[in-house]
Amino acid sequence: MGSMGSMGAAYLEDEAFTVLARLYALARYGTPPAVLDDLTPRQRQYLKGLANRLEPVVQVGHAGLTEAVVSAIIETLETHELVKIKLGKGFTGDRGEAGGEVAQRCKAQLCQVVGRVLVLYRPRRDGTPTINLPR
């Protein structure tokens, strides 16, 4: 049997981790796998590190994910690319499902759900992205 080499093994390990991450997100948060397709685990970890120092800029209240809230998130994503969203105390619903829905409606990537805070990433569509993701 031939040796796969360190690059091939690393690739398979990364792919296996990506599949496990998708399954975990689906089981834990109800997030559809399509939301997780474009980011590697390394990129997701990098974005979580950047989001650590951010404050939530959009808050979802008791009315839920209205069109006004979604358009505010889209506008903020165009400006900042990485956004924290706070689900207020008046928000009634599953946080993981809300994260998946927001990500789908905004065509963004759900990076993290911690408590009542969601982190979304979407590269800027007009112009060059300001966040350079690792490979």
Side-chain angles (χ1 to χ4, degrees):
M1 297 195 118
S3 172
M4 183 180 282
S6 64
M7 291 301 288
Y11 174 77
L12 287 177
E13 184 178 300
D14 193 41
E15 285 298 309
F17 186 78
T18 302
V19 169
L20 288 174
R22 289 180 188 165
L23 291 173
Y24 175 78
L26 183 59
R28 170 85 192 248
Y29 303 116
T31 306
V35 175
L36 301 172
D37 274 347
D38 295 334
L39 294 176
T40 66
R42 177 178 283 163
Q43 291 169 337
R44 189 174 317 285
Q45 194 67 31
Y46 176 75
L47 291 170
K48 286 179 184 181
L50 292 177
N52 190 33
R53 60 188 163 94
L54 297 178
E55 292 294 322
V57 291
V58 178
Q59 183 165 348
V60 179
H62 68 277
L65 298 171
T66 63
E67 286 301 317
V69 170
V70 172
S71 64
I73 294 170
I74 291 172
E75 185 177 318
T76 307
L77 281 167
E78 277 300 313
T79 307
H80 299 288
E81 293 184 325
L82 188 65
V83 176
K84 269 189 180 178
I85 301 163
K86 174 88 172 182
L87 301 175
K89 291 183 182 177
F91 178 79
T92 57
D94 185 68
R95 298 176 299 233
E97 289 177 11
E101 183 180 345
V102 170
Q104 283 182 336
R105 289 175 70 180
C106 296
K107 295 179 177 56
Q109 300 293 316
L110 179 64
C111 298
Q112 187 176 31
V113 179
V114 177
R116 294 184 169 273
V117 178
L118 312 173
V119 178
L120 293 179
Y121 168 74
R122 187 177 80 181
R124 196 171 282 148
R125 302 206 179 205
D126 55 347
T128 58
T130 56
I131 297 175
N132 295 320
L133 294 176
R135 295 262 168 192

